[in-house]
Amino acid sequence: MKINVVNNSKPNNNESFESYLNEQIKQGYLDEKDLAPLKCHHCDSENLEDKNFSYENLGCVSYERWCNDCGKRVNTWDYGCWSV
Ligand SMILES: [Zn+2]
């Protein structure tokens, strides 16, 4: 699986990145199967909404998931996978 790392506070090797992901999954922020965001990491809200869909010939290629409570972007889905 391709994972785009955009979080500046990320650990800098694969092993700790994996345990970082496992921790996020355990705390309910990420879906175990596809790493889709389930909760806002800014305010812990589950009131999320997908916006800004962009389409190419094959269909939807990217969209963003925003938090309706604090108004911040939670994550972006790009060509089949979530940025982490
Ligand atoms: Zn929020």
Side-chain angles (χ1 to χ4, degrees), residues 40-45 48 67-72 74:
C40 175
H41 47 253
H42 304 290
C43 69
D44 282 354
S45 167
L48 307 179
C67 174
N68 279 328
D69 283 345
C70 70
K72 291 180 179 156
V74 180

Side-chain angles (χ1 to χ4, degrees), residues 6 17 38 66:
V6 293
F17 182 64
L38 302 172
W66 288 75

